[in-house]
Coordinates of all heavy atoms in Angstrom, one line a residue:
M1 N 9.3 45.1 58.7 CA 9.0 43.7 58.3 C 7.6 43.3 58.8 O 7.0 42.6 58.0 CB 10.1 42.8 59.0 CG 10.0 41.4 58.7 SD 10.4 41.1 57.0 CE 10.7 39.4 57.1
I2 N 7.2 43.7 59.9 CA 5.9 43.4 60.4 C 4.8 44.0 59.6 O 3.8 43.4 59.2 CB 5.7 43.8 61.9 CG1 6.6 42.9 62.8 CG2 4.2 43.6 62.3 CD1 6.6 43.3 64.2
K3 N 5.0 45.3 59.2 CA 4.1 46.0 58.3 C 3.9 45.2 57.0 O 2.8 45.1 56.5 CB 4.5 47.4 58.1 CG 4.3 48.3 59.2 CD 4.7 49.7 58.9 CE 4.5 50.7 60.1 NZ 4.8 52.0 59.7
R4 N 5.0 44.7 56.4 CA 4.9 44.0 55.2 C 4.1 42.7 55.3 O 3.3 42.4 54.5 CB 6.3 43.7 54.7 CG 6.3 43.1 53.3 CD 7.7 42.9 52.8 NE 7.6 42.3 51.4 CZ 8.6 42.1 50.7 NH1 9.8 42.3 51.1 NH2 8.4 41.5 49.5
S5 N 4.3 42.0 56.4 CA 3.6 40.8 56.7 C 2.1 41.1 56.8 O 1.3 40.3 56.3 CB 4.1 40.1 58.0 OG 5.4 39.7 57.8
V6 N 1.8 42.1 57.5 CA 0.4 42.5 57.7 C -0.2 42.9 56.3 O -1.3 42.5 56.0 CB 0.2 43.7 58.7 CG1 -1.2 44.2 58.7 CG2 0.6 43.2 60.1
S7 N 0.5 43.6 55.6 CA 0.0 44.0 54.2 C -0.2 42.8 53.4 O -1.2 42.8 52.7 CB 1.0 44.9 53.5 OG 1.2 46.1 54.2
I8 N 0.7 41.8 53.4 CA 0.5 40.6 52.6 C -0.7 39.9 53.1 O -1.5 39.3 52.3 CB 1.8 39.8 52.6 CG1 2.9 40.5 51.9 CG2 1.5 38.4 52.1 CD1 4.2 39.8 52.0
A9 N -0.9 39.8 54.4 CA -2.0 39.1 55.0 C -3.4 39.8 54.6 O -4.3 39.1 54.3 CB -1.9 39.0 56.5
V10 N -3.4 41.1 54.7 CA -4.6 41.8 54.3 C -4.9 41.6 52.8 O -6.0 41.3 52.4 CB -4.5 43.3 54.6 CG1 -5.6 44.1 54.0 CG2 -4.4 43.5 56.1
L11 N -3.9 41.7 52.0 CA -4.1 41.5 50.5 C -4.6 40.1 50.3 O -5.5 39.9 49.5 CB -2.8 41.7 49.8 CG -2.8 41.5 48.3 CD1 -3.8 42.5 47.6 CD2 -1.5 41.7 47.7
G12 N -4.0 39.1 50.9 CA -4.5 37.7 50.8 C -5.9 37.5 51.2 O -6.7 36.8 50.5
S13 N -6.3 38.2 52.3 CA -7.7 38.1 52.8 C -8.7 38.7 51.8 O -9.7 38.2 51.5 CB -7.8 38.8 54.1 OG -7.0 38.1 55.1
V14 N -8.3 39.9 51.3 CA -9.1 40.6 50.3 C -9.3 39.7 49.0 O -10.4 39.6 48.5 CB -8.6 42.0 49.9 CG1 -9.3 42.6 48.7 CG2 -8.7 42.9 51.1
L15 N -8.2 39.1 48.5 CA -8.3 38.3 47.4 C -9.1 37.1 47.6 O -9.9 36.6 46.8 CB -6.9 37.9 46.9 CG -6.1 39.1 46.3 CD1 -4.7 38.6 45.9 CD2 -6.8 39.7 45.1
T16 N -9.0 36.5 48.8 CA -9.8 35.3 49.1 C -11.2 35.6 49.2 O -12.1 34.9 48.7 CB -9.3 34.7 50.4 OG1 -7.9 34.3 50.3 CG2 -10.0 33.4 50.8
L17 N -11.6 36.7 49.9 CA -13.0 37.0 50.1 C -13.5 37.5 48.8 O -14.7 37.4 48.5 CB -13.1 38.1 51.2 CG -12.8 37.6 52.6 CD1 -12.8 38.8 53.6 CD2 -13.8 36.6 53.0
G18 N -12.7 38.1 48.0 CA -13.2 38.6 46.7 C -13.7 37.5 45.8 O -14.7 37.7 45.0
G19 N -13.2 36.3 46.0 CA -13.7 35.2 45.3 C -15.1 34.7 45.7 O -15.7 34.0 45.0
C20 N -15.5 35.2 46.9 CA -16.8 34.8 47.4 C -17.9 35.7 46.9 O -19.1 35.5 47.1 CB -16.8 34.9 48.9 SG -15.7 33.7 49.7
A21 N -17.6 36.8 46.3 CA -18.6 37.8 45.8 C -19.4 37.1 44.7 O -18.8 36.4 43.8 CB -17.9 39.0 45.2
G22 N -20.7 37.2 44.7 CA -21.5 36.4 43.8 C -21.9 37.2 42.6 O -23.0 37.5 42.3
S23 N -20.9 37.5 41.8 CA -21.1 38.2 40.5 C -21.8 37.2 39.5 O -21.8 36.0 39.7 CB -19.9 38.7 39.9 OG -19.0 37.7 39.6
A24 N -22.5 37.8 38.6 CA -23.3 37.0 37.6 C -22.3 36.2 36.8 O -21.2 36.6 36.5 CB -24.1 38.0 36.8
D25 N -22.8 35.1 36.4 CA -22.0 34.2 35.5 C -22.8 33.6 34.4 O -22.8 32.4 34.2 CB -21.3 33.1 36.4 CG -22.3 32.2 37.1 OD1 -23.5 32.5 37.1 OD2 -21.8 31.2 37.7
H26 N -23.5 34.4 33.7 CA -24.3 33.9 32.6 C -23.4 33.6 31.4 O -22.4 34.2 31.2 CB -25.4 35.0 32.2 CG -26.4 35.3 33.2 ND1 -27.4 34.4 33.5 CD2 -26.5 36.3 34.1 CE1 -28.1 34.9 34.5 NE2 -27.6 36.0 34.9
E27 N -23.8 32.5 30.7 CA -23.0 32.0 29.6 C -22.9 33.1 28.5 O -23.9 33.8 28.1 CB -23.6 30.8 29.0 CG -22.9 30.2 27.8 CD -23.5 29.0 27.2 OE1 -24.6 28.6 27.7 OE2 -23.0 28.5 26.2
V28 N -21.7 33.3 28.0 CA -21.5 34.2 26.9 C -21.2 33.3 25.7 O -20.2 32.7 25.6 CB -20.3 35.2 27.1 CG1 -20.1 36.1 25.9 CG2 -20.6 36.0 28.4
V29 N -22.2 33.2 24.8 CA -22.1 32.3 23.7 C -21.3 32.9 22.5 O -21.1 34.1 22.4 CB -23.5 31.9 23.1 CG1 -24.3 31.1 24.1 CG2 -24.3 33.1 22.6
S30 N -20.8 32.0 21.7 CA -20.1 32.4 20.5 C -21.1 32.6 19.4 O -22.0 31.8 19.2 CB -19.0 31.3 20.1 OG -18.4 31.7 18.9
A31 N -20.8 33.6 18.5 CA -21.7 33.8 17.4 C -21.7 32.7 16.4 O -22.7 32.3 15.8 CB -21.4 35.1 16.7
Y32 N -20.6 32.1 16.2 CA -20.4 31.0 15.3 C -20.0 29.7 15.9 O -19.3 29.7 16.9 CB -19.3 31.4 14.3 CG -19.6 32.6 13.4 CD1 -19.4 33.9 13.8 CD2 -20.3 32.4 12.2 CE1 -19.7 34.9 13.0 CE2 -20.6 33.4 11.4 CZ -20.3 34.7 11.8 OH -20.7 35.8 11.0
S33 N -20.5 28.6 15.4 CA -20.1 27.3 15.8 C -19.7 26.5 14.6 O -20.2 26.7 13.5 CB -21.3 26.6 16.5 OG -21.0 25.3 16.9
A34 N -18.8 25.6 14.8 CA -18.3 24.7 13.7 C -19.4 23.9 13.1 O -19.3 23.6 11.9 CB -17.2 23.8 14.2
S35 N -20.4 23.6 13.8 CA -21.5 22.8 13.3 C -22.7 23.6 12.7 O -23.7 23.0 12.3 CB -22.0 21.9 14.4 OG -22.6 22.7 15.4
D36 N -22.6 24.9 12.7 CA -23.7 25.7 12.2 C -24.1 25.3 10.8 O -25.3 25.2 10.5 CB -23.2 27.2 12.1 CG -23.3 27.9 13.5 OD1 -23.8 27.2 14.5 OD2 -22.8 29.0 13.6
E37 N -23.2 25.1 9.9 CA -23.6 24.9 8.5 C -24.3 23.5 8.3 O -24.9 23.3 7.2 CB -22.3 25.0 7.6 CG -21.6 26.3 7.6 CD -22.5 27.4 7.0 OE1 -23.3 27.2 6.1 OE2 -22.4 28.6 7.5
V38 N -24.1 22.6 9.2 CA -24.7 21.3 9.0 C -26.0 21.1 9.9 O -26.5 20.0 9.9 CB -23.7 20.1 9.3 CG1 -22.6 20.2 8.2 CG2 -23.1 20.2 10.7
M39 N -26.4 22.1 10.6 CA -27.5 22.0 11.5 C -28.8 22.0 10.6 O -28.9 22.8 9.7 CB -27.6 23.1 12.5 CG -26.5 23.1 13.5 SD -26.6 24.5 14.6 CE -27.4 23.8 16.0
N40 N -29.7 21.1 11.0 CA -31.0 21.1 10.3 C -32.0 22.1 11.0 O -31.6 22.7 12.0 CB -31.6 19.7 10.2 CG -31.9 19.1 11.6 OD1 -32.2 19.8 12.5 ND2 -31.7 17.7 11.7
C41 N -33.2 22.2 10.5 CA -34.1 23.2 11.0 C -34.4 22.9 12.5 O -34.5 23.8 13.3 CB -35.4 23.2 10.2 SG -35.2 24.0 8.6
E42 N -34.6 21.7 12.8 CA -34.9 21.3 14.2 C -33.8 21.7 15.2 O -34.0 22.2 16.3 CB -35.2 19.8 14.3 CG -35.7 19.3 15.6 CD -36.1 17.8 15.5 OE1 -37.0 17.5 14.8 OE2 -35.5 17.0 16.2
Q43 N -32.5 21.4 14.7 CA -31.4 21.8 15.6 C -31.2 23.3 15.7 O -30.9 23.8 16.7 CB -30.1 21.1 15.0 CG -30.1 19.6 15.1 CD -29.0 19.0 14.2 OE1 -28.7 19.5 13.1 NE2 -28.4 18.0 14.7
L44 N -31.5 24.0 14.6 CA -31.4 25.5 14.6 C -32.5 26.0 15.6 O -32.2 26.9 16.4 CB -31.6 26.1 13.2 CG -30.5 25.9 12.3 CD1 -30.9 26.3 10.9 CD2 -29.3 26.6 12.7
T45 N -33.7 25.4 15.6 CA -34.7 25.9 16.5 C -34.3 25.6 18.0 O -34.5 26.4 18.8 CB -36.1 25.2 16.2 OG1 -36.4 25.5 14.8 CG2 -37.2 25.6 17.1
A46 N -33.7 24.4 18.2 CA -33.3 24.1 19.6 C -32.2 25.0 20.0 O -32.2 25.5 21.2 CB -32.8 22.6 19.6
E47 N -31.3 25.4 19.1 CA -30.2 26.3 19.5 C -30.8 27.7 19.8 O -30.4 28.4 20.7 CB -29.2 26.4 18.4 CG -28.1 27.4 18.6 CD -27.1 27.0 19.7 OE1 -27.3 26.0 20.4 OE2 -26.2 27.8 20.0
Q48 N -31.8 28.1 19.0 CA -32.5 29.4 19.2 C -33.2 29.4 20.5 O -33.1 30.4 21.3 CB -33.5 29.6 18.0 CG -34.1 31.0 18.0 CD -35.0 31.2 16.8 OE1 -35.5 30.2 16.3 NE2 -35.1 32.4 16.4
V49 N -33.8 28.4 20.9 CA -34.5 28.3 22.2 C -33.4 28.4 23.3 O -33.6 29.0 24.3 CB -35.3 27.0 22.3 CG1 -35.8 26.7 23.7 CG2 -36.5 27.0 21.4
R50 N -32.3 27.7 23.2 CA -31.2 27.7 24.2 C -30.7 29.1 24.4 O -30.5 29.5 25.5 CB -30.1 26.7 23.8 CG -29.0 26.6 24.8 CD -27.9 25.7 24.3 NE -27.0 26.4 23.4 CZ -26.0 27.2 23.8 NH1 -25.7 27.4 25.0 NH2 -25.2 27.7 22.9
V51 N -30.4 29.8 23.3 CA -29.9 31.1 23.4 C -30.9 32.1 23.9 O -30.6 33.0 24.8 CB -29.4 31.6 22.0 CG1 -29.0 33.0 22.0 CG2 -28.2 30.7 21.5
Q52 N -32.2 31.9 23.6 CA -33.2 32.8 24.1 C -33.4 32.6 25.6 O -33.6 33.5 26.4 CB -34.6 32.5 23.4 CG -35.7 33.5 23.8 CD -35.3 35.0 23.5 OE1 -34.9 35.3 22.4 NE2 -35.4 35.9 24.5
A53 N -33.2 31.4 26.1 CA -33.2 31.1 27.5 C -32.1 31.8 28.3 O -32.3 32.3 29.4 CB -33.1 29.6 27.8
I54 N -31.0 32.0 27.6 CA -29.9 32.8 28.3 C -30.3 34.2 28.4 O -30.2 34.8 29.5 CB -28.6 32.7 27.4 CG1 -28.0 31.2 27.5 CG2 -27.5 33.7 27.9 CD1 -26.9 31.0 26.5
I55 N -30.9 34.8 27.3 CA -31.4 36.2 27.4 C -32.4 36.3 28.5 O -32.4 37.3 29.3 CB -31.9 36.6 26.0 CG1 -30.8 36.7 25.0 CG2 -32.7 37.9 26.1 CD1 -31.3 36.9 23.5
N56 N -33.4 35.4 28.5 CA -34.4 35.5 29.6 C -33.8 35.4 31.0 O -34.3 36.1 31.9 CB -35.4 34.3 29.4 CG -36.2 34.5 28.1 OD1 -36.2 35.5 27.4 ND2 -36.8 33.4 27.6
A57 N -32.8 34.5 31.2 CA -32.2 34.4 32.5 C -31.5 35.7 32.9 O -31.6 36.1 34.1 CB -31.3 33.2 32.5
V58 N -30.8 36.3 31.9 CA -30.1 37.5 32.2 C -31.1 38.6 32.6 O -30.9 39.3 33.6 CB -29.2 38.0 31.0 CG1 -28.7 39.4 31.2 CG2 -28.1 37.0 30.8
N59 N -32.2 38.7 31.8 CA -33.2 39.8 32.1 C -33.9 39.5 33.5 O -34.1 40.5 34.2 CB -34.2 39.8 31.0 CG -33.6 40.5 29.8 OD1 -32.8 41.3 29.8 ND2 -34.1 40.0 28.6
Q60 N -34.1 38.3 33.8 CA -34.7 37.9 35.1 C -33.8 38.3 36.2 O -34.2 38.8 37.2 CB -35.1 36.5 35.2 CG -35.8 36.1 36.5 CD -36.3 34.7 36.5 OE1 -36.2 34.0 35.5 NE2 -36.8 34.3 37.7
D61 N -32.5 37.9 36.0 CA -31.5 38.2 37.1 C -31.3 39.7 37.3 O -31.2 40.2 38.4 CB -30.2 37.6 36.7 CG -29.2 37.5 37.8 OD1 -29.6 37.6 39.0 OD2 -27.9 37.4 37.5
K62 N -31.4 40.5 36.2 CA -31.3 41.9 36.3 C -32.5 42.5 37.1 O -32.4 43.5 37.8 CB -31.3 42.6 34.9 CG -29.9 42.4 34.2 CD -30.0 42.8 32.8 CE -30.2 44.2 32.5 NZ -30.1 44.5 31.1
D63 N -33.7 41.9 37.0 CA -34.9 42.4 37.6 C -35.0 41.9 39.1 O -35.7 42.6 39.9 CB -36.1 42.0 36.8 CG -36.2 42.6 35.5 OD1 -35.6 43.7 35.3 OD2 -36.9 42.1 34.6
D64 N -34.5 40.7 39.4 CA -34.7 40.2 40.7 C -33.5 40.6 41.6 O -32.4 40.6 41.3 CB -34.6 38.6 40.7 CG -35.8 38.0 40.0 OD1 -36.8 38.7 39.8 OD2 -35.8 36.8 39.7
V65 N -33.9 41.0 42.8 CA -32.9 41.4 43.8 C -33.1 40.5 45.0 O -34.2 40.4 45.6 CB -33.1 42.9 44.3 CG1 -32.1 43.2 45.4 CG2 -32.9 43.8 43.1
T66 N -32.1 39.7 45.4 CA -32.2 38.8 46.5 C -31.4 39.3 47.7 O -30.7 40.3 47.6 CB -31.6 37.4 46.0 OG1 -30.2 37.5 45.8 CG2 -32.3 36.9 44.8
G67 N -31.5 38.6 48.8 CA -30.7 38.9 49.9 C -29.2 38.8 49.7 O -28.4 39.6 50.1
K68 N -28.9 37.8 48.8 CA -27.4 37.7 48.5 C -27.0 38.9 47.7 O -25.9 39.4 47.9 CB -27.3 36.4 47.6 CG -25.8 36.1 47.3 CD -25.7 34.8 46.5 CE -24.2 34.6 46.1 NZ -24.0 33.4 45.3
D69 N -27.8 39.4 46.8 CA -27.5 40.6 46.0 C -27.3 41.8 47.0 O -26.4 42.6 46.8 CB -28.5 40.9 45.0 CG -28.6 39.9 43.9 OD1 -27.6 39.3 43.6 OD2 -29.7 39.7 43.4
M70 N -28.1 41.9 48.0 CA -28.0 43.0 48.9 C -26.7 42.9 49.7 O -26.0 43.9 49.9 CB -29.2 43.0 49.8 CG -30.5 43.5 49.2 SD -31.8 43.6 50.4 CE -33.1 44.2 49.4
L71 N -26.4 41.7 50.2 CA -25.2 41.5 50.9 C -24.0 41.7 50.0 O -23.0 42.4 50.5 CB -25.1 40.0 51.4 CG -23.9 39.7 52.3 CD1 -23.8 40.6 53.5 CD2 -23.9 38.2 52.6
D72 N -24.0 41.3 48.8 CA -22.9 41.5 47.9 C -22.7 43.0 47.7 O -21.6 43.6 47.6 CB -23.1 40.9 46.5 CG -22.8 39.4 46.6 OD1 -22.2 38.9 47.5 OD2 -23.2 38.7 45.6
G73 N -23.9 43.7 47.5 CA -23.9 45.2 47.3 C -23.2 45.9 48.5 O -22.5 46.9 48.3
L74 N -23.5 45.4 49.7 CA -22.9 46.1 50.9 C -21.4 45.8 51.0 O -20.6 46.6 51.3 CB -23.6 45.6 52.1 CG -25.0 46.1 52.3 CD1 -25.7 45.4 53.5 CD2 -25.1 47.6 52.4
L75 N -21.0 44.5 50.7 CA -19.6 44.1 50.9 C -18.7 44.5 49.7 O -17.6 44.9 49.9 CB -19.5 42.6 51.1 CG -20.2 42.1 52.4 CD1 -20.1 40.5 52.4 CD2 -19.5 42.6 53.6
W76 N -19.2 44.4 48.5 CA -18.4 44.5 47.3 C -18.9 45.6 46.4 O -18.7 45.5 45.2 CB -18.3 43.2 46.6 CG -18.0 42.0 47.5 CD1 -18.9 41.1 47.9 CD2 -16.8 41.7 48.1 NE1 -18.3 40.2 48.7 CE2 -17.0 40.6 48.9 CE3 -15.5 42.3 48.1 CZ2 -16.0 40.0 49.7 CZ3 -14.5 41.8 48.9 CH2 -14.7 40.6 49.6
F77 N -19.6 46.5 46.9 CA -20.5 47.4 46.1 C -19.9 47.7 44.7 O -20.5 47.3 43.7 CB -20.7 48.7 46.8 CG -21.4 49.8 46.0 CD1 -22.7 49.6 45.5 CD2 -20.8 50.9 45.7 CE1 -23.3 50.5 44.8 CE2 -21.4 51.9 44.9 CZ -22.7 51.7 44.5
P78 N -18.9 48.5 44.5 CA -18.6 48.9 43.1 C -18.1 47.7 42.3 O -18.4 47.6 41.1 CB -17.5 49.9 43.3 CG -16.9 49.7 44.6 CD -18.0 49.1 45.4
F79 N -17.3 46.8 42.9 CA -16.7 45.7 42.1 C -17.8 44.7 41.6 O -17.7 44.3 40.5 CB -15.6 45.0 42.9 CG -14.6 46.0 43.5 CD1 -14.6 46.3 44.9 CD2 -13.7 46.7 42.7 CE1 -13.7 47.2 45.4 CE2 -12.8 47.6 43.2 CZ -12.8 47.8 44.5
N80 N -18.7 44.4 42.5 CA -19.7 43.4 42.1 C -20.6 44.0 41.1 O -21.0 43.3 40.2 CB -20.5 42.9 43.4 CG -21.2 41.7 43.1 OD1 -20.8 40.8 42.4 ND2 -22.4 41.6 43.7
L81 N -21.0 45.2 41.3 CA -21.9 45.9 40.3 C -21.3 45.9 38.9 O -21.9 45.7 37.9 CB -22.3 47.3 40.8 CG -23.3 47.3 41.9 CD1 -23.6 48.8 42.3 CD2 -24.6 46.6 41.7
I82 N -20.0 46.2 38.9 CA -19.3 46.3 37.6 C -19.2 44.9 37.0 O -19.4 44.8 35.8 CB -17.9 46.9 37.8 CG1 -18.0 48.4 38.2 CG2 -17.0 46.8 36.6 CD1 -16.7 49.0 38.7
A83 N -18.9 43.9 37.8 CA -18.7 42.6 37.2 C -20.1 42.1 36.7 O -20.2 41.5 35.6 CB -18.2 41.6 38.3
K84 N -21.1 42.3 37.5 CA -22.5 41.9 37.0 C -22.9 42.6 35.7 O -23.4 42.0 34.8 CB -23.5 42.1 38.1 CG -23.5 41.1 39.2 CD -24.6 41.3 40.2 CE -24.6 40.2 41.2 NZ -25.9 40.2 42.0
S85 N -22.7 43.9 35.7 CA -23.1 44.7 34.5 C -22.3 44.2 33.3 O -22.9 44.1 32.2 CB -22.8 46.2 34.8 OG -23.1 46.9 33.7
N86 N -21.0 44.0 33.5 CA -20.2 43.5 32.3 C -20.7 42.1 31.8 O -20.8 41.9 30.6 CB -18.7 43.4 32.7 CG -18.1 44.8 32.8 OD1 -18.6 45.7 32.2 ND2 -16.9 44.8 33.5
N87 N -21.0 41.2 32.8 CA -21.5 39.9 32.4 C -22.9 40.0 31.7 O -23.1 39.4 30.7 CB -21.6 39.0 33.6 CG -22.1 37.6 33.2 OD1 -23.3 37.3 33.5 ND2 -21.3 36.8 32.5
Y88 N -23.8 40.8 32.3 CA -25.1 41.0 31.6 C -24.9 41.5 30.2 O -25.5 41.0 29.3 CB -25.9 42.0 32.4 CG -26.4 41.6 33.8 CD1 -26.6 42.6 34.8 CD2 -26.5 40.3 34.2 CE1 -27.0 42.2 36.0 CE2 -26.9 39.9 35.5 CZ -27.1 40.9 36.4 OH -27.5 40.6 37.6
N89 N -24.1 42.6 30.0 CA -24.0 43.1 28.7 C -23.3 42.2 27.7 O -23.8 42.0 26.6 CB -23.1 44.4 28.8 CG -23.9 45.6 29.5 OD1 -25.1 45.6 29.5 ND2 -23.1 46.5 30.1
S90 N -22.3 41.5 28.2 CA -21.6 40.5 27.3 C -22.5 39.4 26.9 O -22.6 39.0 25.7 CB -20.4 39.9 28.0 OG -19.4 40.9 28.2
A91 N -23.3 38.8 27.9 CA -24.2 37.7 27.6 C -25.3 38.1 26.7 O -25.6 37.4 25.7 CB -24.7 37.2 28.9
I92 N -25.9 39.3 26.9 CA -27.0 39.7 26.0 C -26.5 40.0 24.6 O -27.1 39.6 23.6 CB -27.7 41.0 26.6 CG1 -28.4 40.6 27.9 CG2 -28.6 41.7 25.6 CD1 -29.7 39.9 27.7
N93 N -25.4 40.7 24.5 CA -24.8 41.1 23.2 C -24.4 39.8 22.4 O -24.7 39.7 21.2 CB -23.6 42.0 23.3 CG -24.1 43.4 23.7 OD1 -25.2 43.8 23.6 ND2 -23.1 44.1 24.3
A94 N -23.8 38.9 23.1 CA -23.4 37.7 22.4 C -24.6 36.8 22.0 O -24.6 36.3 20.9 CB -22.4 36.9 23.3
A95 N -25.6 36.8 22.8 CA -26.8 36.0 22.5 C -27.5 36.6 21.3 O -28.0 35.9 20.4 CB -27.7 35.9 23.7
N96 N -27.6 37.9 21.3 CA -28.3 38.6 20.2 C -27.5 38.3 18.9 O -28.2 38.1 17.8 CB -28.5 40.1 20.4 CG -29.6 40.3 21.4 OD1 -30.6 39.6 21.5 ND2 -29.4 41.4 22.2
T97 N -26.2 38.4 18.9 CA -25.4 38.1 17.7 C -25.6 36.7 17.3 O -25.7 36.4 16.1 CB -23.9 38.4 18.0 OG1 -23.8 39.7 18.4 CG2 -23.1 38.1 16.8
R98 N -25.7 35.7 18.3 CA -25.9 34.3 17.9 C -27.3 34.1 17.3 O -27.4 33.4 16.3 CB -25.8 33.5 19.2 CG -26.0 32.0 19.0 CD -24.8 31.4 18.2 NE -25.1 29.9 18.0 CZ -24.7 29.3 17.0 NH1 -24.1 29.9 16.0 NH2 -25.0 28.0 16.9
L99 N -28.3 34.8 17.8 CA -29.6 34.7 17.2 C -29.6 35.2 15.8 O -30.3 34.6 14.9 CB -30.7 35.4 18.1 CG -31.0 34.8 19.4 CD1 -32.0 35.7 20.2 CD2 -31.6 33.4 19.2
M100 N -28.9 36.3 15.5 CA -28.9 36.8 14.2 C -28.2 35.8 13.2 O -28.6 35.6 12.1 CB -28.1 38.1 14.1 CG -29.0 39.3 14.7 SD -28.3 40.9 14.4 CE -26.7 40.8 15.2
R101 N -27.1 35.1 13.8 CA -26.4 34.1 13.0 C -27.4 32.9 12.7 O -27.4 32.4 11.5 CB -25.2 33.6 13.8 CG -24.5 32.4 13.2 CD -23.8 32.6 11.9 NE -23.1 31.4 11.6 CZ -22.9 31.0 10.3 NH1 -23.2 31.8 9.3 NH2 -22.2 29.9 10.1
I102 N -28.1 32.5 13.7 CA -29.1 31.4 13.4 C -30.1 31.8 12.4 O -30.4 31.0 11.5 CB -29.7 31.0 14.8 CG1 -28.7 30.4 15.7 CG2 -30.9 30.0 14.5 CD1 -29.2 30.2 17.1
D103 N -30.6 33.0 12.5 CA -31.6 33.5 11.5 C -31.1 33.5 10.1 O -31.8 33.2 9.2 CB -32.1 34.9 11.9 CG -33.1 34.8 13.1 OD1 -33.6 33.7 13.4 OD2 -33.3 35.9 13.7
S104 N -29.8 33.8 10.0 CA -29.2 33.9 8.6 C -29.0 32.5 8.0 O -28.9 32.4 6.8 CB -27.8 34.6 8.7 OG -26.8 33.8 9.3
L105 N -29.0 31.5 8.8 CA -28.9 30.1 8.3 C -30.2 29.5 7.9 O -30.2 28.4 7.2 CB -28.3 29.2 9.4 CG -26.8 29.6 9.8 CD1 -26.4 28.8 11.1 CD2 -25.9 29.3 8.7
R106 N -31.3 30.1 8.2 CA -32.6 29.6 7.8 C -33.0 29.8 6.4 O -32.7 30.7 5.7 CB -33.7 30.1 8.8 CG -33.5 29.5 10.1 CD -34.5 30.1 11.1 NE -34.3 29.4 12.3 CZ -35.2 28.6 12.9 NH1 -36.3 28.4 12.4 NH2 -34.9 28.0 14.1

């Protein structure tokens, strides 16, 4: 009974602390938007700038290593790296697809 309580406490602590890991959280945009067909050139340009800013932020985040990144690496090494890598890839791929969609509307 005591072992089970300890196991539950350890699992709860790991899950709680796991929420503190600072994995990347860049926006993953949708390729299509309901308003795409009615956007004018100015709106398409603004959307293109917004999506390019996401790509730039992901690339900058990939290049910059902060103290928080080092701490995360030590505490959550494989999990945090996997989460960040997945977010980087998803955000970049989605943004590139969105940019191609915007270009097709011009």
Side-chain angles (χ1 to χ4, degrees):
M1 183 70 165
I2 292 174
K3 286 183 180 181
R4 184 174 182 181
S5 296
V6 170
S7 296
I8 291 172
V10 169
L11 178 61
S13 296
V14 168
L15 291 176
T16 301
L17 291 173
C20 297
S23 62
D25 59 352
H26 296 284
E27 180 182 0
V28 178
V29 295
S30 176
Y32 294 87
S33 175
S35 63
D36 282 353
E37 298 297 328
V38 295
M39 292 175 101
N40 61 33
C41 286
E42 191 174 294
Q43 292 167 323
L44 289 170
T45 300
E47 179 68 0
Q48 188 175 27
V49 168
R50 183 183 79 82
V51 173
Q52 187 62 50
I54 293 170
I55 293 172
N56 294 345
V58 170
N59 288 329
Q60 182 177 355
D61 195 19
K62 286 168 64 174
D63 293 339
D64 291 345
V65 177
T66 65
K68 183 178 179 183
D69 292 330
M70 289 182 175
L71 180 61
D72 283 346
L74 292 173
L75 295 175
W76 313 106
F77 173 64
F79 307 110
N80 196 38
L81 290 179
I82 291 168
K84 282 185 175 190
S85 178
N86 286 340
N87 179 254
Y88 294 154
N89 291 335
S90 296
I92 292 286
N93 290 337
N96 284 330
T97 302
R98 179 71 178 144
L99 288 176
M100 286 190 300
R101 168 72 175 148
I102 292 168
D103 285 344
S104 74
L105 295 170
R106 291 179 176 245

